[in-house]
Amino acid sequence: MSMKAFAWGMSQKVGDPTTKLVLLIICDHYNDSKGYAYPSQDRIAEFSECSVRTVQRHIKSLLENGFIRVQAIPNVANKYTIPALKMETTNQVIDKEMETTNRANGYDMGDVRSLKNPYSISNKLDIAENTTKSYGDLVYQDHLNWLAKQNTGIKYLRPFVGKLREMIKGKSRMSNEKVYEHLHNLFVEVQEHPKGDLQSYLMASAKSISERFDKPRERVLNDQAKALMESNYQKIYKATKGQSGWGGLDYLAIREEYEKAFKEGSIVFSHTKQKATADEILEYFGVR
């Protein structure tokens, strides 16, 4: 057990309690003299009372956010290194503003990932092997370093960057590297064209990127679903045709909106100017 590694792990903000637990278990197994921890995923799963698949998912999150690195060795437990601790032991020269983290005031100045030493990633984590320099590296080294020097008011930089990453990905099927490419381009833009409220601009831009790619997927309807949709539309027609207060309805437009909501899950309904599901459209027209 490494008290130094465990104390470091306790001070990190990772954004999820189970991810934090997995990090602390790795820190608990860290060997100061060897510079790495090598608990098996089964052992981590036993200690965290999670499934191995859950452990793999949280290790992947720690890896993507730069807290650890993973070296895969065939038929041997993975080796987990902690870049922040390695930098301290090798006396890597870093700008004075990045050397320490002001924990007393709650400010995380960010830990810098090195691009000099290639490392292999376990294929169990679904990450490309023999990574040397990627968009993710640029984000968590160059851009995190730059962000730490800006007057943003952001307390914990790495979780903030992770939040931007999740906002960009949204519900899309973009690969992690594609997400990091968008994030890298966003940081390049704000460095070339400084913004007043940098934090708000980054979040708004991440949301805008997500909206471009996170388009709703239309349902593929079988015959039974099509019949149900038509039956419900007929109920709308019968409930409103000739009824007081429903005069002048455009039933063609109603059909189009209802079908779109039925297929996509929800739409901005023209009669309420708010998002509505197909069931909510039925309720609006008095169909129960």
Side-chain angles (χ1 to χ4, degrees), residues 114-131:
S114 171
L115 302 180
K116 296 180 180 179
N117 301 317
Y119 56 93
S120 297
I121 306 301
S122 168
N123 56 14
K124 296 179 182 178
L125 301 178
D126 193 29
I127 299 293
E129 295 184 352
N130 300 322
T131 301

Side-chain angles (χ1 to χ4, degrees), residues 9-281:
M10 286 293 291
S11 68
Q12 301 307 299
K13 299 291 184 181
V14 302
D16 180 88
T18 305
T19 306
K20 179 71 168 280
L21 176 58
V22 171
L23 176 62
L24 291 176
I25 292 170
I26 292 173
C27 290
D28 188 52
H29 287 77
Y30 192 82
N31 186 308
D32 288 322
S33 61
K34 294 182 178 180
Y36 58 81
Y38 50 96
S40 67
Q41 292 183 354
D42 287 334
R43 185 173 179 82
I44 297 174
E46 179 183 357
F47 275 58
S48 62
E49 300 183 21
C50 298
S51 67
V52 171
R53 179 168 294 184
T54 297
V55 167
Q56 290 172 356
R57 186 172 70 251
H58 289 288
I59 289 175
K60 183 177 179 180
S61 176
L62 291 169
L63 177 64
E64 289 174 346
N65 287 289
F67 290 101
I68 62 173
R69 289 179 181 168
V70 184
Q71 181 181 9
I73 302 175
N75 302 318
V76 179
N78 292 339
K79 290 183 177 180
Y80 302 93
T81 58
I82 300 175
L85 299 182
K86 188 175 181 181
M87 284 190 297
E88 292 180 9
T89 56
T90 56
N91 294 319
Q92 182 175 344
V93 178
I94 305 176
D95 185 280
K96 284 294 182 181
E97 293 183 18
M98 295 298 297
E99 283 184 359
T100 60
T101 299
N102 190 344
R103 301 295 181 191
N105 293 326
Y107 286 91
D108 179 359
M109 298 303 291
D111 297 315
V112 182
R113 296 171 62 189
S114 171
L115 302 180
K116 296 180 180 179
N117 301 317
Y119 56 93
S120 297
I121 306 301
S122 168
N123 56 14
K124 296 179 182 178
L125 301 178
D126 193 29
I127 299 293
E129 295 184 352
N130 300 322
T131 301
T132 54
K133 189 173 183 178
S134 65
Y135 288 113
D137 291 318
L138 291 172
V139 168
Y140 280 106
Q141 187 200 39
D142 298 351
H143 301 319
L144 187 62
N145 193 333
W146 173 84
L147 187 60
K149 298 176 182 179
Q150 310 308 306
N151 184 21
T152 62
I154 303 170
K155 288 187 176 182
Y156 305 110
L157 296 177
R158 184 176 281 108
F160 175 74
V161 172
K163 182 177 181 179
L164 293 178
R165 177 175 61 85
E166 292 304 316
M167 289 176 66
I168 290 174
K169 186 164 188 177
K171 296 180 181 179
S172 70
R173 296 185 176 182
M174 276 191 288
S175 66
N176 286 324
E177 188 63 7
K178 192 66 178 178
V179 173
Y180 281 127
E181 180 180 355
H182 287 297
L183 191 51
H184 162 69
N185 291 336
L186 175 57
F187 274 114
V188 170
E189 177 200 344
V190 295
Q191 289 174 47
E192 292 179 350
H193 307 284
K195 310 298 178 183
D197 186 349
L198 181 59
Q199 180 178 357
S200 297
Y201 183 84
L202 288 171
M203 294 185 69
S205 297
K207 183 178 180 181
S208 176
I209 294 170
S210 174
E211 289 173 349
R212 293 207 307 266
F213 295 94
D214 192 13
K215 296 180 179 178
R217 288 174 289 173
E218 188 175 281
R219 291 172 59 189
V220 177
L221 304 180
N222 56 28
D223 291 341
Q224 184 177 2
K226 290 178 181 177
L228 175 61
M229 184 173 65
E230 179 62 27
S231 173
N232 287 339
Y233 169 73
Q234 292 300 328
K235 290 178 182 178
I236 293 175
Y237 182 83
K238 291 177 181 178
T240 58
K241 187 68 173 177
Q243 295 296 319
S244 176
W246 295 113
L249 287 177
D250 184 343
Y251 286 100
L252 180 60
I254 292 173
R255 175 189 285 274
E256 291 177 350
E257 286 195 296
Y258 178 74
E259 289 184 359
K260 186 175 182 182
F262 193 92
K263 292 177 180 178
E264 297 182 2
S266 67
I267 62 167
V268 177
F269 187 37
S270 62
H271 289 261
T272 62
K273 309 301 182 185
Q274 296 179 351
K275 275 197 170 184
T277 64
D279 287 341
E280 288 170 340
I281 291 176

